[in-house]
């Protein structure tokens, strides 16, 4: 007989059957709404509203977004920078209550508006790490469209990464080593 079963259908793999009724938890949405009601009864209406917002359909996305000013999550922009600079930038962003992605987006907008030009970043031999930030796709495409013109105006290569790193360092007050291009001329 082709493809005959090797075990009888009543075979339990040596496991003992469970004793008693299995407890099936209520759906999480119901538990969150119950918690919201308890918060409301305890005199915490703001916290109850937050829990209800998370319990709403699609409310889990509110947990991912730290900065409400940045409406779209965008795509990942990997920045290779010194470990010390990365730690400074993260600490400053936490101190000011902003996301690094929103700071980079502001820098991209300043460059596109012609209000700011990134300085040339100095190379270093310090240990490097990768810092990932999320930036809106449309801003990244606009920067890609003008980066050749920006490089020609600046006299050095301008990239999304150089703009992002220089703007975050300047805006958040971190120490990023730059090259003085004015005195070289």
């Amino acid at each position: 007989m082709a493809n005959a079963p090797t075990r009888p259908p009543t075979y339990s793999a040596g496991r003992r059957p469970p004793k008693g009724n299995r407890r099936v938890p209520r759906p999480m949405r119901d538990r969150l709404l119950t918690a919201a009601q308890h918060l409301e009864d305890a005199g915490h209406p703001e916290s109850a509203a937050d829990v209800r917002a998370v319990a709403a359909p699609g409310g889990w996305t509110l947990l991912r977004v730290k900065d409400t000013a940045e409406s779209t999550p965008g795509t990942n922009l990997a920045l290779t920078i010194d470990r010390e600079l990365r730690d400074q930038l993260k600490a400053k962003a936490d101190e000011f209550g902003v996301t690094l992605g929103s700071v980079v987006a502001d820098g991209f907008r300043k460059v596109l508006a012609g209000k700011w030009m990134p300085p040339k970043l100095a190379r270093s031999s310090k240990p490097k790490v990768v810092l990932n930030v999320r930036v809106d796709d449309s801003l990244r495409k606009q920067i890609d469209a003008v980066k050749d013109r920006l490089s020609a105006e600046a006299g050095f290569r301008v990239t999304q990464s150089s703009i992002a790193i220089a703007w975050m360092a300047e805006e958040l007050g971190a120490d990023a080593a730059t090259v003085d291009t004015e005195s070289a001329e």
Side-chain angles (χ1 to χ4, degrees):
M1 181 176 188
N3 297 328
T6 57
R7 295 186 179 129
T10 57
Y11 181 73
S12 64
R15 287 179 286 145
R16 182 177 76 168
K19 293 182 180 179
N21 295 334
R22 280 182 43 197
R23 277 188 74 212
V24 178
R26 292 179 296 166
M28 187 173 288
R29 187 180 315 265
D30 293 340
R31 290 186 305 213
L32 286 172
L33 292 174
T34 302
Q37 187 58 47
H38 287 304
L39 285 168
E40 188 81 40
D41 295 342
H44 302 287
E46 297 89 10
S47 298
D50 291 342
V51 171
R52 282 191 187 94
V54 170
W60 63 271
T61 58
L62 297 173
L63 299 174
R64 289 182 57 196
V65 179
K66 289 183 182 176
D67 189 3
T68 56
E70 192 65 31
S71 60
T72 59
T75 57
N76 186 46
L77 175 61
L79 307 170
T80 303
I81 60 175
D82 297 341
R83 181 182 306 273
E84 294 173 12
L85 179 58
R86 182 207 53 189
D87 295 341
Q88 285 180 21
L89 291 172
K90 284 184 168 185
K92 295 283 187 173
D94 287 342
E95 179 184 330
F96 294 127
V98 296
T99 62
L100 293 175
S102 64
V103 174
V104 171
D106 290 342
F108 281 6
R109 288 184 194 102
K110 290 277 188 186
V111 169
L112 291 170
K115 296 180 180 175
W116 185 76
M117 180 65 98
K120 183 175 183 179
L121 297 173
R123 294 186 171 275
S124 76
S125 59
K126 296 179 182 176
K128 303 283 188 213
V129 293
V130 175
L131 174 64
N132 294 304
V133 295
R134 290 204 168 269
V135 184
D136 186 32
D137 287 335
S138 64
L139 286 173
R140 292 185 68 183
K141 287 177 184 174
Q142 290 175 37
I143 290 292
D144 277 341
V146 299
K147 69 182 178 185
D148 291 334
R149 179 182 55 82
L150 294 172
S151 295
E153 289 175 8
F156 56 88
R157 187 170 167 227
V158 176
T159 63
Q160 289 182 9
S161 296
S162 65
I163 294 169
I165 294 168
W167 179 259
M168 284 190 299
E170 183 175 314
E171 189 69 9
L172 297 175
D175 299 324
T178 59
V179 175
D180 185 15
T181 56
E182 302 291 322
S183 61
E185 294 175 351

